[in-house]
Amino acid sequence: MASSYNFKKITVVPSSTELKDVVLSKTQRKTPTVVHKAYSIGRIRAFYSRKIKFLQQTLHDKLTQIINEFPKMEDVHPFYSDLMNILYDKDHYKIALGQMNTARHLVDGIAREYVRLMKYADSLYRCKMLKRAALGRMVKLLKHQKSSFEYLEQVRQHLSRLPSIDPNTRTLILCGFPNVGKSSFINKLTRADVEVQPYAFTTKSLYVGHLDYKYLRWQVIDTPGILDHPLEQRNTIEMQAVTALAHLKAAVLFIMDVSEQCNQTIEEQVSLFEAIRPLFTNKPVFVGLNKVDIMRREDLPAEKNELLKKLESESIPIVEMSTLSSEGVVHLRDSACDALLAQRVENKLHSKKVTSDGVLNRVFVAYPQPRDDKVRAPFIPSGVNEKQNRMVVEVDGTLRDEKTRKLERELEKELGDDYILDLKKHFLLKNPEEKYDIVPEIWEGHNIADFIDSGLMAKFAALKEEERVREGAGVYASEEDSDDEDTKELLQQAKLIEQKELEHKLKHELIRGTAKPRMSRLIGRKRQRTMDTMEKEFGSLGVNIADKDMANFGEAQLKHPTTKRMRIGSAPSLSANRPAPRDIQGVPDLETYDKTNKVRRKAQRPKNQDARKGEGDRHISVKRPKHLFAGKRGIGKSDRR
């Protein structure tokens, strides 16, 4: 059984009209909206069946949420159950939730019925009419439950305003006649800001405040005033106090007005106490005599004082207090909290319930009873006595048992600021005077532990001699000696190959470090195309090229300007005086150079310079897309644009 319930998390219950608009709009948005005559009849049936099923599922989920989020009377604590019965009438509440459940089943039935009928529809028109009928009937059901929706929303609003009362925690309940000072008392003890006015029934509902006492959190409940008349004649406000008194395991503080300014005499207040006393069963009860700053208890008439003494004789403590001057307020709080705490501990010890703390409250310790008068002293074996005698040590000049010697904490308390932690005083050494000798770990760069053994060098020499003898005996013979001739030859060839590879590698690294930079074959050939080279090559072929024979060569070219002029001689880009730019070096011709420039410019072009949309583009190019706004009428116009 759930002991508490969080009523503030209940979702808002919409009205039937709002729910109808929501579910129809959601069905229109979440399902396909276009159907054509050319569709096969099976596809048309599936199209309209989907709309019916979607609306049914949406309504089913919404009604299920309403039913599940509202608390069940059987699942909540009896305090909350009775409080809800007083405020909302348990029968009306259950009827409203039952009608929600019935509507949910009817919606499911309508959807199943029309989906079955849809299988026999033989045209687009009949499928559409069945869909309209199904949606209409489901929406009509919501209209029939209009009053239930409104009632549950009012209940939800009131439940969310109820105070968060934990029925199982430590609680103090204030009760009494109206206007006796209950709200002033809770305002003094806690941070609750309850309205205080000089007239009756200022507090119309339960108020909760919290305080800390003995490092524990306590809740204080301020109840509305209770008038002294039969239970069946009490109104809703008074019944809230009765419910809290009946169901909460708490300490009860009955506040009385000793000055009778609440328009109720002492006799009437005692009579009310006796009338509701059955509700105080198994609860610590305290009576707070308020407003003693106006009138003291000693100033009361004798007959009224007798009534109070009668209550005291029945083991009911009476504490005089004043919420105006704070006299006795803390004393009443402490007395009530201590009594409730003691009672809760006692109940836990006597309960048979296994708690999370363990089963200590169920453990019974049996003490043996002596069967006769004979004294049976405990027997201690002699071995134990010897062991105990060996444990006696001398501490500060006195013989003390090792177990009973003073702890460091005790010494620290005795000596105070003079105490110094000594970790070496209990060292067990062969020579006790060496306890406080300073022994270094490292000396002149060497570890002291290496020189502790005096025979270390002799052992090391013996170990070396043993290793020499083992090697001479052939214990560590190389595995290569056991190989055959073929294996030895292969290993020798492998060594030669490795040596040759190493030589090639070193030679290559030497060339790379000292050789001139390489050039392309094309540029190398251009450097060789000189006039002298051409004359030598033509001369070897029997052609004599002299200056006089080439005199008219330039004039012949001028007559034909369209002819490409032959370039003879070294390239200007390769002249020794003026080196060519780095982007031209290594390029065979200008056409290739232009192509590479074009590729370079394209690669270096900034990204997205064509303003194409990317993943992170939030730009809205069209504010009013035509497919959403074409044909719509504007505000205040009846003609289409």
Side-chain angles (χ1 to χ4, degrees):
M1 179 184 294
S3 61
S4 60
Y5 202 92
N6 190 356
F7 301 117
K8 294 178 175 58
K9 288 188 177 180
I10 303 177
T11 311
V12 176
V13 181
S15 65
S16 60
T17 306
E18 292 172 351
L19 184 58
K20 177 199 70 171
D21 295 339
V22 167
V23 295
L24 288 179
S25 173
K26 188 175 182 181
T27 304
Q28 183 70 4
R29 287 184 291 107
K30 298 285 187 179
T31 56
T33 54
V34 178
V35 62
H36 298 288
K37 294 180 180 179
Y39 284 171
S40 64
I41 189 63
R43 187 171 178 181
I44 294 172
R45 288 170 185 160
F47 176 87
Y48 286 110
S49 298
R50 181 174 176 183
K51 288 187 174 294
I52 297 173
K53 291 177 183 176
F54 188 88
L55 181 64
Q56 174 262 331
Q57 189 62 45
T58 306
L59 283 175
H60 182 92
D61 294 344
K62 188 61 182 176
L63 295 175
T64 302
Q65 182 186 20
I66 294 173
I67 294 169
N68 292 340
E69 287 190 346
F70 275 89
K72 306 293 185 296
M73 290 285 187
E74 297 79 12
D75 295 343
V76 296
H77 193 274
F79 163 69
Y80 277 123
S81 179
D82 279 8
L83 188 62
M84 291 170 64
N85 184 27
I86 293 167
L87 297 174
Y88 320 122
D89 191 343
K90 180 165 57 177
D91 294 337
H92 290 176
Y93 179 76
K94 287 187 174 181
I95 287 173
L97 287 180
Q99 288 178 341
M100 292 289 106
N101 194 28
T102 304
R104 181 176 61 177
H105 288 305
L106 289 175
V107 166
D108 295 346
I110 291 171
R112 282 196 303 271
E113 178 185 350
Y114 278 89
V115 168
R116 189 168 58 248
L117 290 174
M118 192 71 71
K119 297 178 182 177
Y120 303 102
D122 55 359
S123 66
L124 172 62
Y125 176 75
R126 289 184 179 177
C127 290
K128 186 176 182 179
M129 290 300 105
L130 285 174
K131 186 265 297 183
R132 290 184 61 182
L135 267 59
R137 284 187 61 185
M138 285 190 272
V139 169
K140 195 71 173 177
L141 269 175
L142 300 179
K143 290 186 177 180
H144 290 166
Q145 307 302 331
K146 178 182 178 182
S147 58
S148 296
F149 281 107
E150 293 175 352
Y151 171 77
L152 287 176
E153 173 59 16
Q154 292 176 2
V155 170
R156 184 201 67 81
Q157 292 177 4
H158 200 283
L159 278 175
S160 64
R161 289 193 292 268
L162 282 180
S164 298
I165 298 174
D166 186 356
N168 296 322
T169 193
R170 297 160 291 275
T171 309
L172 304 179
I173 297 179
L174 308 178
C175 61
F177 269 107
N179 204 27
V180 296
K182 301 186 294 296
S183 300
S184 302
F185 183 79
I186 191 175
N187 287 343
K188 283 284 184 183
L189 290 183
T190 69
R191 298 176 64 184
D193 188 15
V194 185
E195 184 182 2
V196 177
Q197 296 293 344
Y199 49 81
F201 285 112
T202 305
T203 304
K204 297 183 177 63
S205 61
L206 299 175
Y207 284 90
V208 180
H210 294 85
L211 60 90
D212 290 327
Y213 178 71
K214 288 188 176 180
Y215 303 104
L216 297 173
R217 177 54 60 95
W218 299 68
Q219 65 180 2
V220 185
I221 300 178
D222 181 19
T223 61
I226 305 174
L227 298 178
D228 189 11
H229 44 239
L231 189 66
E232 59 274 5
Q233 296 180 9
R234 291 190 171 125
N235 57 22
T236 303
I237 297 176
E238 296 170 309
M239 286 303 296
Q240 294 182 52
V242 174
T243 303
L245 290 171
H247 291 293
L248 296 180
K249 298 177 181 178
V252 179
L253 306 182
F254 187 85
I255 309 298
M256 297 176 62
D257 184 2
V258 70
S259 66
E260 299 182 353
Q261 288 186 351
C262 62
N263 298 327
Q264 307 291 339
T265 62
I266 297 292
E267 293 83 352
E268 291 173 335
Q269 296 181 58
V270 173
S271 173
L272 172 63
F273 179 82
E274 295 293 342
I276 62 175
R277 194 169 183 177
L279 299 174
F280 302 158
T281 308
N282 298 327
K283 296 184 179 71
V285 182
F286 291 83
V287 173
L289 279 181
N290 193 20
K291 304 182 183 178
V292 294
D293 55 308
I294 300 175
M295 178 182 289
R296 290 282 173 180
R297 179 179 174 183
E298 298 81 15
D299 302 334
L300 288 174
E303 61 274 8
K304 296 184 179 181
N305 234 329
E306 284 297 324
L307 292 173
L308 297 178
K309 289 181 180 179
K310 183 181 178 183
L311 290 179
E312 285 183 322
S313 64
E314 297 172 359
S315 302
I316 297 175
I318 297 178
V319 179
E320 299 183 29
M321 67 173 192
S322 170
T323 55
L324 184 64
S325 62
S326 301
E327 176 189 348
V329 171
V330 175
H331 175 57
L332 179 59
R333 179 205 69 181
D334 295 349
S335 304
C337 291
D338 291 338
L340 181 61
L341 214 55
Q343 187 195 51
R344 286 170 66 92
V345 172
E346 188 71 20
N347 291 340
K348 282 187 178 180
L349 290 175
H350 288 86
S351 68
K352 294 184 179 181
K353 182 180 178 182
V354 178
T355 62
S356 59
D357 301 331
V359 292
L360 290 177
N361 54 345
R362 301 180 64 183
V363 174
F364 173 71
V365 182
Y367 295 96
Q369 299 293 331
R371 62 174 182 248
D372 51 30
D373 298 335
K374 184 177 180 180
V375 178
R376 293 177 174 85
F379 171 71
I380 302 176
S382 59
V384 175
N385 285 326
E386 293 176 4
K387 188 175 180 181
Q388 289 180 347
N389 293 334
R390 286 198 300 268
M391 293 177 63
V392 174
V393 294
E394 185 176 352
V395 180
D396 298 333
T398 59
L399 293 176
R400 298 188 62 180
D401 190 349
E402 181 76 15
K403 292 182 179 179
T404 59
R405 71 183 182 189
K406 290 185 179 180
L407 301 176
E408 293 296 321
R409 179 60 179 162
E410 297 173 0
L411 292 174
E412 185 181 3
K413 287 183 178 178
E414 290 178 5
L415 300 177
D417 295 338
D418 298 332
Y419 170 76
I420 298 175
L421 179 61
D422 188 0
L423 298 176
K424 297 183 179 182
K425 62 183 177 181
H426 299 305
F427 281 7
L428 298 177
L429 300 180
K430 185 176 181 180
N431 300 322
E433 63 271 7
E434 296 177 356
K435 279 184 183 179
Y436 297 100
D437 287 354
I438 299 175
V439 180
E441 294 182 2
I442 304 297
W443 180 64
E444 293 184 357
H446 300 286
N447 194 345
I448 294 293
D450 295 340
F451 305 95
I452 291 175
D453 193 352
S454 58
L456 186 64
M457 299 306 295
K459 291 179 182 178
F460 182 62
L463 186 61
K464 287 178 69 176
E465 180 64 23
E466 183 185 352
E467 288 294 309
R468 188 183 63 77
V469 172
R470 290 169 70 90
E471 286 181 2
V475 177
Y476 301 131
S478 177
E479 294 182 359
E480 295 181 2
D481 297 340
S482 62
D483 292 337
D484 54 5
E485 296 297 330
D486 294 338
T487 306
K488 290 181 179 179
E489 187 178 352
L490 285 173
L491 291 173
Q492 190 175 2
Q493 289 180 359
K495 288 181 180 178
L496 292 174
I497 292 172
E498 288 179 2
Q499 188 176 0
K500 196 71 174 176
E501 287 180 349
L502 183 60
E503 289 177 1
H504 278 291
K505 186 177 180 181
L506 293 173
K507 184 178 179 182
H508 180 67
E509 289 179 355
L510 184 63
I511 291 173
R512 284 187 62 186
T514 59
K516 294 181 180 180
R518 295 182 182 181
M519 65 176 66
S520 67
R521 292 174 62 189
L522 192 62
I523 295 178
R525 286 181 179 179
K526 278 189 176 182
R527 288 188 173 182
Q528 296 171 2
R529 293 173 189 165
T530 60
M531 197 66 185
D532 295 338
T533 307
M534 190 177 72
E535 287 178 358
K536 288 178 183 179
E537 289 180 356
F538 274 88
S540 64
L541 295 174
V543 180
N544 185 17
I545 300 178
D547 293 339
K548 60 180 180 179
D549 296 330
M550 302 293 291
N552 299 325
F553 181 71
E555 296 176 4
Q557 273 201 332
L558 290 173
K559 295 177 183 178
H560 307 283
T562 55
T563 309
K564 275 193 175 181
R565 186 173 182 179
M566 182 175 147
R567 189 171 183 173
I568 301 174
S570 60
S573 61
L574 300 174
S575 65
N577 298 331
R578 189 178 60 185
R582 292 178 62 87
D583 58 344
I584 297 177
Q585 292 179 11
V587 181
D589 50 25
L590 293 176
E591 187 178 354
T592 308
Y593 175 72
D594 292 339
K595 282 185 180 179
T596 54
N597 259 347
K598 197 175 291 183
V599 172
R600 176 181 60 79
R601 284 196 299 270
K602 191 171 183 180
Q604 293 176 350
R605 187 182 300 170
K607 301 292 183 183
N608 203 18
Q609 71 172 4
D610 295 335
R612 292 174 182 167
K613 290 184 181 178
E615 292 180 358
D617 197 347
R618 304 270 194 296
H619 177 65
I620 302 173
S621 55
V622 183
K623 300 288 186 183
R624 296 169 63 87
K626 184 175 180 181
H627 72 279
L628 287 180
F629 292 95
K632 303 292 190 296
R633 275 179 270 188
I635 300 174
K637 295 183 180 178
S638 60
D639 56 333
R640 295 189 177 272
R641 43 187 176 87

